[in-house]
Amino acid sequence: IGVGLVGFGLFFLLFGILLYFDSVLLAFGNLLFLSGLVFIIGFRRTFTFFFQRSKLKGTSFFFGGLIVVLMRWPILGMLLEAYGFISLFRSFFPVAFGFF
């Protein structure tokens, strides 16, 4: 279930960007992505991942961008989310690129 939710979340995010930053699709994609992450690794691990002391800056940018998207400012919100996503998952990028 979790992988499907994350997949649909990424699909809606991409589709929202392709349709000139449609804020409804972007918000729906964000919510699906986060709920899929909770289903994959669990609520407690998700909470501890996002609220680690070293990752609070990335978390605040990510969730701040989510709030800005929900307030219907999609371009600014996606820029904030992208910065937060990169700073949150910075340590996973070398591992992910190692598979290719």
Side-chain angles (χ1 to χ4, degrees):
I1 293 176
V3 176
L5 286 173
V6 168
F8 277 119
L10 291 175
F11 170 74
F12 277 107
L13 283 172
L14 179 67
F15 201 54
I17 290 171
L18 289 175
L19 289 176
Y20 301 111
F21 291 95
D22 184 28
S23 60
V24 174
L25 289 174
L26 292 174
F28 193 60
N30 283 324
L31 293 176
L32 285 175
F33 177 77
L34 289 176
S35 62
L37 193 62
V38 169
F39 270 101
I40 290 173
I41 64 174
F43 183 75
R44 176 170 279 156
R45 284 186 179 173
T46 304
F47 186 81
T48 57
F49 172 76
F50 278 108
F51 293 104
Q52 290 177 7
R53 196 158 186 75
S54 62
K55 296 183 180 187
L56 278 178
K57 185 171 107 174
T59 300
S60 62
F61 272 98
F62 186 77
F63 286 119
L66 178 65
I67 290 170
V68 171
V69 166
L70 289 173
M71 292 178 2
R72 296 197 176 251
W73 288 33
I75 295 174
L76 179 63
M78 287 305 292
L79 288 173
L80 290 173
E81 279 187 44
Y83 178 73
F85 185 83
I86 289 170
S87 63
L88 276 172
F89 295 100
R90 182 178 299 158
S91 62
F92 293 126
F93 289 138
V95 174
F97 291 137
F99 287 116
F100 297 112

